Amino acid sequence: MKTVLLYLKDFLKENFNYKTYSLTALFLICCIYVNYQYNFEDKIIDAWYGKPERTLWYFLFYAFSYYGTVLIQILTAKKKDTVLKKEFWLYTLFGLIVLSLDASFSWHSEIGKDLPWDVYILLYKILGDLSGIIATTIPLWLFYLLTKNNRDNFYGLSTTNTTSVNYYFLMLLIMTIPILWASFQEDFLTSYPTFPDNEAYKYLNIPRGIAIGIYEFFYAFDFITVELLFRGFFIIGLYKVLGDKVLLPMVSTYAFLHFGKPLGETIGSIFGGFILGVFALKTRNIWGGIILHVGVALL
């Protein structure tokens, strides 16, 4: 646990800027208020489900969070040279496009419509969790092949410095307390558990527990692609362009990813995204983040 605290202490000692962090916090507070007051993500963006315009909406949505935070860093740190780099725009625009495609993915909604409704819903959810392979992992891999400098580290999916992941199991143990509390809150109970309460297992002629296990496996798999994009690409991949300033824009965009979920989860994502981002910076791998993220999701 000392190593965990040391990572955070060292990062804040080297990078903390009162104006930057204060304005970023104010920016996120205002955005969270507007979204949850007017249900922006659910009512405006999701109204375009299944249409190309939804991808554009999501791109503008996430670009606002990312570049808004970058602008705050430029104004407070007075370093404008970053946005003049061609690599900055190449990497960030690519990452935001991938994120937008993944968030708006709906191509699987037509698959299996002739199946019994309960089976279709289960299949729809599983395919939705697997969509990250098509919308995130494959594009990132192709981009990595074209731009890579380190042949042994695909945005943090490396075998180096893996001893640090042990600390995440301790953090996961500590997280069981707030997770237990949250599991009794009304807003969380409207969103979780995510397994559809249906009778697909009867149509498939398998025990309900097996159906739940299959669903949970693919549900957990989806969080690997989330870590690959946010802590892998937006932190490790962009480090050579932005240095330590990769962190706050990622945190803001990660918070926007949680809009539409319980308010407590969105607020928690800010702190969780910050901590996991620091660890990715210090260790140059995302395995610990995967362990923690998947563990919290399943709990």
Side-chain angles (χ1 to χ4, degrees), residues 9-81:
K9 181 181 178 181
D10 287 347
F11 180 84
L12 290 172
K13 182 178 180 181
E14 296 169 4
N15 297 280
F16 182 78
N17 181 301
Y18 177 78
K19 291 182 179 179
T20 302
Y21 278 68
S22 297
L23 286 177
T24 301
L26 181 61
F27 172 70
L28 285 173
I29 289 171
C30 292
C31 291
I32 289 172
Y33 173 81
V34 170
N35 181 77
Y36 284 88
Q37 180 68 24
Y38 300 102
N39 207 10
F40 180 82
E41 198 264 354
D42 286 338
K43 285 187 176 181
I44 305 299
I45 299 180
D46 283 347
W48 294 93
Y49 184 86
K51 299 178 182 179
E53 290 87 345
R54 188 165 179 248
T55 303
L56 176 60
W57 268 109
Y58 266 121
F59 176 79
L60 296 174
F61 184 63
Y62 293 130
F64 176 72
S65 65
Y66 194 90
Y67 294 125
T69 308
V70 169
L71 179 61
I72 290 173
Q73 292 187 141
I74 291 173
L75 294 176
T76 53
K78 297 181 179 179
K79 292 184 178 180
K80 301 179 181 179
D81 58 319

Side-chain angles (χ1 to χ4, degrees), residues 37-273:
Q37 180 68 24
Y38 300 102
N39 207 10
F40 180 82
E41 198 264 354
D42 286 338
K43 285 187 176 181
I44 305 299
I45 299 180
D46 283 347
W48 294 93
Y49 184 86
K51 299 178 182 179
E53 290 87 345
R54 188 165 179 248
T55 303
L56 176 60
W57 268 109
Y58 266 121
F59 176 79
L60 296 174
F61 184 63
Y62 293 130
F64 176 72
S65 65
Y66 194 90
Y67 294 125
T69 308
V70 169
L71 179 61
I72 290 173
Q73 292 187 141
I74 291 173
L75 294 176
T76 53
K78 297 181 179 179
K79 292 184 178 180
K80 301 179 181 179
D81 58 319
T82 297
V83 297
L84 299 178
K85 296 178 181 179
K86 182 175 67 175
E87 277 189 317
F88 168 78
W89 293 105
L90 174 64
Y91 274 72
T92 57
L93 286 173
F94 175 79
L96 292 171
I97 290 172
V98 168
L99 175 59
S100 304
L101 288 171
D102 187 36
S104 61
F105 191 94
S106 62
W107 308 331
H108 63 300
S109 61
E110 298 298 320
I111 299 177
K113 276 200 167 182
D114 55 337
L115 295 171
W117 179 251
D118 287 350
V119 178
Y120 167 74
I121 291 298
L122 180 60
L123 178 64
Y124 171 82
K125 284 181 168 286
I126 289 175
L127 291 177
D129 291 331
L130 286 173
S131 66
I133 296 177
I134 298 173
T136 301
T137 306
I138 293 176
L140 287 181
W141 176 248
L142 294 174
F143 189 84
Y144 169 75
L145 292 177
L146 294 172
T147 62
K148 63 184 178 181
N149 290 323
N150 185 349
R151 292 178 177 271
D152 300 321
N153 191 346
F154 173 46
Y155 301 132
L157 289 178
S158 68
T159 56
T160 59
N161 202 15
T162 54
T163 55
S164 61
V165 304
N166 296 328
Y167 302 115
Y168 289 82
F169 288 105
L170 177 59
M171 292 180 63
L172 184 60
L173 180 63
I174 296 173
M175 284 297 296
T176 58
I177 297 174
I179 291 172
L180 181 64
W181 172 83
S183 66
F184 289 96
Q185 305 309 305
E186 185 176 352
D187 58 341
F188 278 87
L189 288 173
T190 59
S191 301
Y192 301 102
T194 59
F195 180 77
D197 187 15
N198 62 31
E199 298 184 343
Y201 65 97
K202 292 183 178 179
Y203 291 100
L204 299 173
N205 196 28
I206 60 175
R208 185 171 186 270
I210 297 297
I212 293 175
I214 294 172
Y215 169 78
E216 293 293 344
F217 173 80
F218 290 108
Y219 175 66
F221 182 85
D222 185 47
F223 292 96
I224 298 177
T225 59
V226 171
E227 286 299 314
L228 180 63
L229 180 59
F230 279 90
R231 258 63 70 179
F233 181 81
F234 279 117
I235 292 292
I236 297 173
L238 263 164
Y239 180 78
K240 68 175 184 178
V241 180
L242 285 174
D244 288 340
K245 286 184 171 51
V246 294
L247 187 63
L248 290 185
M250 181 279 292
V251 171
S252 294
T253 309
Y254 188 59
F256 272 52
L257 180 71
H258 289 76
F259 284 8
K261 296 185 177 183
L263 177 60
E265 186 175 352
T266 299
I267 295 173
S269 72
I270 297 173
F271 298 96

Side-chain angles (χ1 to χ4, degrees), residues 1-8 160-176 275-276 278-280 282-283 285 287-293 296:
M1 198 62 184
K2 288 183 179 179
T3 303
V4 173
L5 296 176
L6 184 62
Y7 283 162
L8 293 171
T160 59
N161 202 15
T162 54
T163 55
S164 61
V165 304
N166 296 328
Y167 302 115
Y168 289 82
F169 288 105
L170 177 59
M171 292 180 63
L172 184 60
L173 180 63
I174 296 173
M175 284 297 296
T176 58
I275 293 172
L276 293 178
V278 170
F279 292 168
K282 295 294 184 180
T283 63
N285 74 64
W287 288 111
I290 290 173
I291 291 171
L292 189 60
H293 207 163
V296 168

